[in-house]
Amino acid sequence: MPYVITQSCCNDASCTAACPVDCIHPRIDDDAFTSAESLYIDPEACIDCGACVEQCPVDAIVADDDLPSGQQRYLDISAAYFSARPVPLGARPRPLPRPAVDLTGVRVAVVGTGPAGMYAVWELLEHRGVEVELYDRALTPYGLIRSGVAPDHPATKAVMATFERAARKPNVAMHFGVEVGTHVSHDELLAHHSAVIYATGAAQDRGSGVPGAQLRGVHSATEFVGWYNGDPARADAMFDLSGERAAVIGNGNVAIDVARILLTDPHTLATTDIADHALAALRHSNIREVVLMGRRGPAQAAYTNPELMALLDMPDVDVVVDPAEAILDELTRDDLACANAEPAMRLKAQLAQEISARPSTGADKRIVLRYLSSPVRFGGDNAVSTVHVARSSLARADDGTLRAQVGAEIEALDASLVLQSVGYRGAAIAGVPFDDANAVIPNQAGRVLTSAEGTAVPRTYVTGWIKRGPSGVIGTNKRCARETVACLLDDVANGLVPPAPERAALLALLDDRRPDRFGYAGWSRIDVAERLAGRGSGRPRIKFTDADHLRRAAAP
Ligand SMILES: Cc1cc2nc3c(=O)[nH]c(=O)nc-3n(C[C@H](O)[C@H](O)[C@H](O)COP(=O)(O)OP(=O)(O)OC[C@H]3O[C@@H](n4cnc5c(N)ncnc54)[C@H](O)[C@@H]3O)c2cc1C
Ligand SMILES: NC(=O)c1ccc[n+]([C@@H]2O[C@H](COP(=O)([O-])OP(=O)(O)OC[C@H]3O[C@@H](n4cnc5c(N)ncnc54)[C@H](OP(=O)(O)O)[C@@H]3O)[C@@H](O)[C@H]2O)c1
Ligand code: SF4
Ligand code: SF4
């Protein structure tokens, strides 16, 4: 009865240390960790002790005989992973525990309370004496856990409990409503802290460059996600849900999320923490079909297999693939024939073929997965009415990957709503170097550099999406933060990080600039009030989506 890791795994690696036979892989220090779709349990090595189960913050680990019928496939997925990457038992020693460093007198500013910032805090808390000041421009913590993760994925949001434990430590202080670069400058932070770690994420939309994006009805998925998740900055957005078809450009996991939210039964959404305004609008939605446009083939789709498989479990929604688009081109077949082909890529190709062969259930709603389909223009008078689509082909780039080459236009697809889900983009912070081409803070392993080729900026570090770009799941940021904090610790050891001055001067500065900021106690009051508001209607919480409302709830 081996245990199996299932859909909600967010790669935070909390389970690996608990395993007495080291059969959960890849480990956080393996190169494969950063790109892994999830972690996997070796079914041959697992001794069924169950020790990993209670370590998992998102309840992703299940005994194989408790797997629901729709999730049996996770057994094959684990087996395929270990057959491609056999791990001889006992072949690799466990990494040595990292030595504790005395950080007495060291005060670190962490800018951003998303997963990257919070994992950096946990890394710092491993060492005695450290003081941490966390800053967030938002009035609520945890970044995309609150404003990105889909409302129908409550298990994933449970990772917040891990971050709450860090936030409650007596040597950690939080400051909400403080935007670094606007309310306080980088130089001011440096003057009051020993070091600064930027973990500001990538909140902007990358943009596809497709002509016609200015038409009414064309939006970024970033805007739509913020709207349904109750981001106060997006609360007033309006989406035309009166038509029957929506097109989503891109097929990453965000595209999958928005397609699911558009078609989920509002009665189901009403049991989640979706923003009230979004729930009200979706109750009147006429959208019956969502078309996801991937510009490459099924094997190169940007979504992960667990997210696609969860889509197939949606009640009353058919998932459709045109059999012609599930056929693999020659270059992809070559890639998959390689002995070292990624099992996840093989599974993507296989799932698309299986879906293309499934008969329609006659459901009223459909998600259509398109491949090798590139949008070339959005058409319409004032408002969008069509997406002009070209067939793409795949060509091998210098780095060996297969990229889309746009061919001739093949069709004009009617759609009254277009969501461009083509990825996020980091933003510059005044006074901090920025690599505009890659939309990241230039760095080497987390040490901020003056430019991509430049020298280290003293006492300044970066982690998360603003360090490496907008990819990776929640747990990917744990390894990323570990690397960054290791640089900071090296600099402490080399005498490059001085003790911080008196905290009173910092608090005086913050009182002057942001007298209405609040800390963890204020967030706790918001948290309790939102949960209480949801209790009567059986919802986990009702999010407050207006800045004044949040400030009132935070007040003692
Ligand atoms: C729509 C969406 C859904 C996702 N769903 C999942 C999922 O289900 N499972 C999963 O494992 N991963 C998911 N991810 C990926 C995961 O959310 C990211 O890997 C992770 O949030 C990145 O962490 P971060 O800390 O770098 O950025 P963020 O989470 O964006 O946090 C950045 C923080 O910095 C703050 N900030 C920004 N600028 C400033 C400033 N100048 N001053 C002060 N504060 C500032 C922001 O307010 C924010 O709180 C999802 C991503 C998206 C976009
Ligand atoms: N449940 C979850 O675990 C979850 C949920 C949401 C997000 N996330 C994670 O968050 C990260 C970001 O996700 P994401 O979906 O925003 O980004 P993503 O995975 O990078 O996907 C972006 C998509 O947009 C396409 N694209 C980019 N530019 C385009 C253009 N000009 N024209 C047409 N298509 C274009 C890409 O195609 P190409 O592939 O051809 O470039 C790809 O399909 C990912 O690591 C994701 O796994 C995880
Ligand atoms: S059940 Fe025990 S042996 Fe199996 S993966 Fe979990 S911790 Fe390891
Ligand atoms: S979420 Fe974390 S603890 Fe749970 S299975 Fe995935 S890596 Fe392990």
Side-chain angles (χ1 to χ4, degrees):
M1 192 193 70
Y3 282 71
V4 193
I5 294 178
T6 60
Q7 184 260 329
S8 58
C9 175
C10 68
N11 298 29
D12 84 331
S14 298
C15 51
T16 53
C19 181
V21 294
D22 193 19
C23 71
I24 309 179
H25 290 263
R27 284 198 314 226
I28 196 164
D29 50 349
D30 291 345
D31 288 344
F33 181 85
T34 303
S35 59
E37 287 201 335
S38 77
L39 268 61
Y40 307 92
I41 292 175
D42 185 347
E44 298 296 324
C46 174
I47 57 166
D48 315 335
C49 70
C52 51
V53 176
E54 64 187 41
Q55 299 302 320
C56 180
V58 301
D59 294 335
I61 308 179
V62 183
D64 73 342
D65 51 4
D66 287 339
L67 267 181
S69 58
Q71 299 202 4
Q72 291 294 325
R73 194 155 202 159
Y74 283 101
L75 290 169
D76 302 336
I77 293 174
S78 302
Y81 177 83
F82 288 99
S83 124
R85 286 199 185 74
V87 185
L89 265 189
R92 287 185 300 176
R94 280 171 175 272
L96 292 172
R98 284 159 293 149
V101 176
D102 185 355
L103 293 181
T104 304
V106 171
R107 181 182 310 128
V108 181
V110 177
V111 185
T113 63
M118 296 311 297
Y119 283 129
V121 174
W122 268 124
E123 290 296 321
L124 290 165
L125 290 172
E126 297 271 312
H127 306 279
R128 68 181 173 280
V130 71
E131 279 176 54
V132 180
E133 307 281 345
L134 269 161
Y135 299 88
D136 207 301
R137 64 182 175 190
L139 298 178
T140 51
Y142 313 135
L144 287 166
I145 305 295
R146 179 173 166 112
S147 64
V149 171
D152 60 341
H153 278 171
T156 305
K157 289 169 195 261
V159 74
M160 281 210 282
T162 309
F163 302 151
E164 285 276 297
R165 281 192 288 119
R168 283 197 295 265
K169 297 282 181 195
N171 47 342
V172 174
M174 297 182 109
H175 308 276
F176 296 107
V178 180
E179 180 160 356
V180 173
T182 305
H183 304 126
V184 289
S185 69
H186 172 65
D187 287 344
E188 285 168 335
L189 280 190
L190 272 187
H192 292 278
H193 301 80
S194 312
V196 183
I197 301 178
Y198 286 96
T200 48
Q204 294 182 349
D205 167 43
R206 193 186 282 156
S208 68
V210 174
Q214 79 292 348
L215 288 168
R216 213 171 58 238
V218 180
H219 305 265
S220 67
T222 316
E223 192 183 352
F224 188 66
V225 167
W227 174 73
Y228 67 60
N229 272 329
D231 176 353
R234 309 283 190 189
D236 295 332
M238 305 280 277
F239 299 89
D240 181 357
L241 305 174
S242 63
E244 295 215 338
R245 183 186 289 135
V248 178
I249 311 304
N251 65 7
N253 281 340
V254 172
I256 296 258
D257 276 355
V258 301
R260 224 181 39 249
I261 295 299
L262 277 170
L263 292 187
T264 296
D265 183 339
H267 290 104
T268 305
L269 290 177
T271 63
T272 72
D273 68 1
I274 190 169
D276 275 349
H277 53 246
L279 181 60
L282 288 163
R283 282 190 198 281
H284 296 103
S285 170
N286 287 329
I287 306 277
R288 291 287 168 274
E289 180 173 297
V290 180
V291 181
L292 256 67
M293 303 252 177
R295 59 183 171 177
R296 295 191 287 163
Q300 296 85 19
Y303 51 67
T304 54
N305 288 304
E307 294 311 308
L308 175 61
M309 285 159 58
L311 211 55
L312 302 179
D313 290 338
M314 279 181 79
D316 307 322
V317 178
D318 268 343
V319 180
V320 179
V321 171
D322 178 344
E325 291 185 1
I327 296 171
L328 303 179
D329 68 302
E330 201 177 326
L331 291 174
T332 303
R333 286 202 303 272
D334 289 348
D335 281 359
L336 294 184
C338 281
N340 61 355
E342 279 294 325
M345 192 176 171
R346 286 207 175 101
L347 182 58
K348 280 180 189 172
Q350 192 182 334
L351 283 173
Q353 275 158 12
E354 286 176 19
I355 297 168
S356 74
R358 280 167 33 141
S360 162
T361 63
D364 173 41
K365 299 179 188 171
R366 306 183 345 142
I367 293 176
V368 182
L369 302 174
R370 298 286 306 264
Y371 301 104
L372 297 170
S373 299
S374 292
V376 286
R377 181 165 62 91
F378 304 125
D381 307 322
N382 299 321
V384 69
S385 56
T386 46
V387 179
H388 295 263
V389 185
R391 168 73 58 228
S392 27
S393 56
L394 296 178
R396 199 166 298 281
D398 291 344
D399 64 2
T401 57
L402 294 180
R403 303 266 170 86
Q405 285 194 323
V406 180
E409 183 176 330
I410 49 163
E411 66 179 298
L413 180 85
D414 290 344
S416 50
L417 175 69
V418 173
L419 298 175
Q420 301 203 74
S421 184
V422 294
Y424 283 60
R425 186 181 158 84
I429 297 169
V432 181
F434 190 65
D435 169 355
D436 197 51
N438 296 304
V440 295
I441 295 178
N443 71 91
Q444 191 169 40
R447 265 191 198 92
V448 173
L449 303 178
T450 49
S451 67
E453 310 295 326
T455 53
V457 178
R459 303 191 281 129
T460 307
Y461 307 85
V462 61
T463 186
W465 276 17
I466 193 63
K467 168 183 170 185
R468 57 176 207 280
S471 74
V473 291
I474 294 164
T476 319
N477 302 293
K478 188 171 182 175
R479 174 186 163 117
C480 187
R482 185 169 287 183
E483 181 187 59
T484 295
V485 171
C487 290
L488 191 157
L489 295 174
D490 277 352
D491 291 350
V492 170
N494 291 323
L496 300 173
V497 178
E502 283 296 304
R503 187 165 186 256
L506 167 66
L507 295 182
L509 173 77
L510 293 172
D511 285 347
D512 175 49
R513 300 290 169 74
R514 297 301 281 166
D516 57 353
R517 79 185 191 288
F518 55 87
Y520 180 76
W523 154 243
S524 284
R525 285 188 279 270
I526 294 173
D527 189 29
V528 169
E530 286 189 338
R531 288 177 196 272
L532 275 177
R535 193 175 282 175
S537 44
R539 300 177 63 185
R541 67 173 71 233
I542 291 181
K543 283 181 175 173
F544 303 156
T545 61
D546 167 84
D548 289 340
H549 193 172
L550 284 163
R551 284 191 187 284
R552 280 198 307 278

